């Protein structure tokens, strides 16, 4: 571990037993408030705010539960099938837009982050929806194509990648 500044600590993770380095150049932003870590591989939520929670109203996003569940169900099979990064823009009941990044490019970086892609990476596909509609879609109660055609789901970037999301969210349906 190396202290780069008063607010940043850089680290490297090595597996005990085989001395294989699995994370290099990971870092943590140190802030006065507590930092929330949502971790699968090397993803770090740099926001001091809880995922999906509005500081102003305290309203809980339904999408937060979906993304928490998704982070726990990412497998190497899903990553190899999808091999892309998605940015979700979820509009809460309070009118604010909350962003979540789902990185499925490779197992070393795969995970879910509350916020935009890290280190200047660009999402391959961006999806915008209202929180209620997103929850219904993730539960399988709203058809993705119908949502797209009715304007409830907006896609930019590589639109064809959005079709791969059904495989990504299929493991989360039973956990919601």
């Amino acid at each position: 571990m190396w202290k780069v500044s008063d607010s940043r600590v850089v680290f490297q993770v090595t597996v005990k037993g085989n001395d294989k380095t699995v994370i290099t150049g990971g870092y943590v932003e140190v802030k006065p408030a507590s930092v929330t870590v949502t971790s699968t591989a090397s993803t770090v939520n740099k926001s001091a705010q809880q995922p999906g929670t509005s500081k102003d109203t305290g309203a809980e996003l339904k999408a937060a539960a979906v993304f928490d569940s998704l982070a726990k169900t990412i497998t190497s099979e899903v990553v190899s099938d999808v091999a892309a990064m998605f940015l979700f823009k979820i509009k809460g009941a309070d009118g604010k837009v909350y962003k979540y990044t789902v990185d499925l490019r490779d197992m070393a970086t795969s995970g879910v982050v509350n916020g935009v892609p890290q280190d200047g990476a660009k999402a391959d596909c961006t999806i915008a929806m209202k929180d209620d509609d997103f929850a219904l879609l993730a539960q399988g109660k709203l058809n993705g194509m119908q949502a797209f055609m009715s304007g409830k789901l907006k896609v930019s970037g590589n639109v064809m990648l959005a079709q791969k999301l059904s495989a990504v969210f299929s493991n989360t349906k039973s956990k919601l």
Side-chain angles (χ1 to χ4, degrees), residues 3-19:
K3 183 177 179 181
V4 178
S5 68
D6 287 339
S7 65
R8 182 176 281 190
V9 176
V10 178
F11 62 91
Q12 176 175 308
V13 177
T14 305
V15 175
K16 191 174 183 176
N18 68 4
D19 292 329

Side-chain angles (χ1 to χ4, degrees), residues 28-115:
V28 176
E29 292 287 330
V30 181
K31 300 197 180 201
S34 64
V35 176
T36 304
V37 177
T38 55
S39 180
T40 53
S42 62
T43 58
V44 176
N45 174 4
K46 296 194 295 187
S47 169
Q49 178 179 340
Q50 285 289 14
T53 303
S54 166
K55 282 183 180 177
D56 299 334
T57 64
E60 184 72 22
L61 285 180
K62 294 173 186 173
V66 174
F67 288 112
D68 287 343
S69 179
L70 177 64
K72 297 171 188 165
T73 61
I74 294 174
T75 64
S76 58
E77 183 181 332
V78 169
V79 171
S80 65
D81 288 347
V82 177
M85 181 187 295
F86 298 90
L87 175 63
F88 289 86
K89 296 179 179 180
I90 307 297
K91 188 172 185 177
D94 58 2
K96 292 184 180 182
V97 175
Y98 298 88
K99 297 176 182 176
Y100 292 87
T101 300
V102 178
D103 187 350
L104 301 170
R105 294 175 295 174
D106 61 63
M107 276 308 288
T109 62
S110 67
V112 178
V113 176
N114 181 1

